Amino acid sequence: MALEPLSQKEIEDRLAELPGWSLTSAPTAAGDAAAEVKLTRAYGLPSHFAATAFVVHVSQVQEELGHHAELTLGYNTVTLAVNTHSAGGALTDLDFELARRVEALATGHGAE
């Protein structure tokens, strides 16, 4: 089943429910004038071990959803950026579901 891109209003409404998350844009891989928008969030964690454990937990959620974000692991930080490639790089319900699931487990890892 193809996922439908969300309207700007739907994106704004869902984003309002996810404090700390924001939209970023970057040139597309093809280098054309259109920008690719991603749902992003950076977390600070108490240690490198905590950040690594958080990445493993996020990876489990991604496997369950069949939807994967770009994950960047720093010393004590984790950054996620996601959009739906099968919807042409648009934002869909699946991106926001992943963000909600990540938010639900972040506190248990000491993420801020």
Side-chain angles (χ1 to χ4, degrees), residues 25-109:
S25 61
T28 63
D32 57 23
E36 184 176 64
V37 175
K38 293 185 179 187
L39 182 60
T40 62
R41 172 82 152 89
Y43 293 94
L45 291 105
S47 67
H48 183 66
F49 184 80
T52 303
F54 184 50
V55 166
V56 170
H57 205 164
V58 169
S59 296
Q60 290 175 318
V61 169
Q62 291 179 132
E63 286 297 308
E64 290 170 10
L65 292 174
H67 191 57
H68 300 82
E70 295 172 8
L71 290 172
T72 304
L73 172 63
Y75 170 72
N76 64 345
T77 60
V78 174
T79 304
L80 291 91
V82 66
N83 62 12
T84 304
H85 299 288
S86 63
L91 295 175
T92 67
D93 283 326
L94 195 52
D95 301 306
F96 284 92
E97 177 61 21
L98 176 59
R100 280 189 293 275
R101 299 262 316 258
V102 169
E103 277 297 302
L105 57 91
T107 304
H109 287 275

